[in-house]
């Protein structure tokens, strides 16, 4: 992924969704040839020349100052995550020497930690949304039809984005699949800015773009967002509907995240989650 190309596409996508009225520009009626702000209008509001902004959008101004980037972010009304993404694309890190890609691994202590969450689902996501490890509850909640040991084999690891767009079970699982799809693609967009030279990520995006028109449309929108705490409805095929809150804990050294799913105490969702715990325990006893 070329960060110069990504920068231009990101800026154009943000211009396209901001109307002149929202930006505080006077309107004189008539039909506009382009949606949102024109380059010249954005440049005027940001206090830079139209030529300079055009070169920036074309990836020809790699040394944009903090003041210029801040001004553009202000005009485009970027939130904190989008602003960080703008800086990441405008100032890509020096390319490291290419080494053979090594599969990600979970530290043994992290594996012990998620296994300790015996009553609630917990899993570890890799840098590119691969499931690196999950406890039996997370497996039963998200993908009980997938081999439980799949995360231990790099070639077979489930991927959250791939499951979401290509596995029909995921469409039935999420109560608001569209919202989940949008947030997942926005998260993947943010990740792509951090790892622009990563072939595994490019391969994943290429696969999903070809296989899923819905993914391709969302990816082209260049929306970015960070997966924070959120609450979702899950339609589990065995225990029914549950409203679960997902907390994410970052593992900075590895770029991995731990996700833990909980239900409000004494709620119907907590009862359903408890029932799933019993089913998982019974299944494990049967295997033993």
């Amino acid at each position: 992924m070329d960060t110069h190309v990504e920068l231009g596409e990101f800026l154009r996508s943000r211009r396209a969704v901001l109307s002149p009225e929202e930006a505080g520009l006077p309107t004189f009626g008539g039909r506009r040839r382009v949606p949102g702000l024109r380059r010249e209008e954005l440049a005027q509001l940001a206090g830079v020349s139209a030529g300079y902004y055009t070169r920036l959008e074309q990836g020809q101004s790699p040394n944009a100052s903090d003041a210029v980037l801040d001004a553009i972010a202000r005009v485009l009304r970027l939130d904190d995550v989008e602003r960080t993404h703008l800086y990441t694309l405008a100032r890509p890190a020096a390319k490291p020497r290419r080494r053979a890609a090594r599969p990600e691994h979970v530290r043994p202590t992290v594996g012990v930690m998620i296994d300790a969450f015996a009553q609630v689902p917990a899993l570890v996501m890799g840098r590119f949304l691969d499931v690196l490890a999950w406890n039996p509850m997370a497996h039963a909640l998200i993908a009980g039809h997938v081999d439980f040991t799949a995360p231990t084999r790099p070639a077979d690891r489930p991927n959250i984005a791939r499951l979401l767009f290509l596995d029909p079970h995921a469409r039935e699982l999420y109560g608001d699949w569209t919202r989940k799809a949008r947030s997942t693609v926005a998260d993947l967009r943010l990740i792509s800015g951090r790892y622009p030279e990563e072939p595994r990520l490019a391969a994943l995006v290429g696969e999903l773009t070809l296989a899923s028109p819905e993914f391709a449309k969302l990816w082209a929108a260049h929306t970015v967002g960070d997966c924070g705490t959120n609450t979702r409805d899950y339609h589990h095929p065995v225990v029914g509907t549950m409203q679960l809150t997902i907390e994410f804990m970052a593992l900075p050294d590895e770029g991995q995240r731990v996700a833990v799913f909980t239900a409000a105490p004494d709620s119907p969702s907590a009862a359903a989650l408890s029932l799933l715990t019993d089913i998982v325990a019974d299944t494990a006893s049967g295997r033993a």
Side-chain angles (χ1 to χ4, degrees):
M1 300 181 187
D2 190 324
T3 52
H4 297 308
V5 174
E6 290 289 310
L7 174 62
E9 292 180 350
F10 176 65
L11 289 172
R12 285 190 290 274
S13 72
R14 297 309 91 195
R15 281 198 295 113
V17 298
L18 184 66
S19 69
E21 294 86 353
E22 291 172 321
L25 288 175
T27 56
F28 304 101
R31 182 167 180 165
R32 295 171 63 89
R33 291 183 297 174
V34 296
L37 287 181
R38 301 185 180 97
R39 285 175 176 170
E40 296 79 7
E41 292 169 335
L42 193 155
Q44 175 188 351
L45 292 170
V48 299
S49 71
Y52 179 85
Y53 176 77
T54 298
R55 291 193 297 275
L56 179 65
E57 199 170 275
Q58 293 174 344
Q60 298 173 4
S61 296
N63 298 313
S65 67
D66 288 353
V68 168
L69 295 177
D70 285 343
I72 292 172
R74 172 182 52 79
V75 174
L76 293 176
R77 300 187 177 186
L78 303 185
D79 60 26
D80 290 343
V81 174
E82 292 170 326
R83 183 185 295 263
T84 299
H85 188 61
L86 171 64
Y87 268 83
T88 299
L89 296 179
R91 296 174 178 173
K95 296 181 182 179
R97 182 181 299 175
R98 178 62 59 83
R99 296 182 298 179
R102 296 180 179 178
E104 291 184 78
H105 293 286
V106 176
R107 290 202 313 269
T109 52
V110 176
V112 171
M113 179 179 70
I114 66 167
D115 285 340
F117 291 108
Q119 306 298 314
V120 297
L123 59 83
V124 182
M125 285 195 308
R127 291 189 292 272
F128 312 126
L129 307 188
D130 289 326
V131 177
L132 305 183
W134 52 17
N135 66 7
M137 285 289 289
H139 172 249
L141 171 66
I142 295 175
H145 60 293
V146 174
D147 181 6
F148 176 72
T149 65
T152 66
R153 301 184 298 274
D156 297 332
R157 282 173 175 163
N159 179 276
I160 297 298
R162 188 179 288 113
L163 285 173
L164 186 64
F165 285 96
L166 304 185
D167 191 323
H169 293 273
R171 290 184 180 269
E172 299 172 2
L173 176 65
Y174 292 98
D176 190 343
W177 183 89
T178 300
R179 184 169 71 95
K180 171 63 176 174
R182 287 172 180 162
S183 67
T184 299
V185 175
D187 188 38
L188 204 58
R189 260 291 178 198
L190 192 63
I191 293 168
S192 73
R194 297 171 184 157
Y195 301 97
E197 302 296 324
E198 178 51 61
R200 290 174 296 173
L201 179 58
L204 174 64
V205 170
E207 174 192 354
L208 294 177
T209 299
L210 291 174
S212 170
E214 292 159 309
F215 177 88
K217 182 178 180 179
L218 291 171
W219 185 256
H222 282 266
T223 302
V224 296
D226 197 1
C227 280
T229 301
N230 58 74
T231 301
R232 300 190 187 280
D233 289 336
Y234 293 82
H235 299 317
H236 193 271
V238 178
V239 301
T241 298
M242 295 179 287
Q243 188 175 79
L244 303 179
T245 297
I246 306 95
E247 293 282 357
F248 291 93
M249 295 174 282
L251 304 175
D253 292 342
E254 289 81 9
Q256 300 168 1
R257 288 173 285 181
V258 174
V260 180
F261 304 71
T262 60
D266 302 319
S267 65
S269 296
L273 196 59
S274 178
L275 177 57
L276 185 61
T277 304
D278 293 341
I279 292 172
V280 168
D282 289 343
T283 301
S285 298
R287 286 198 298 263

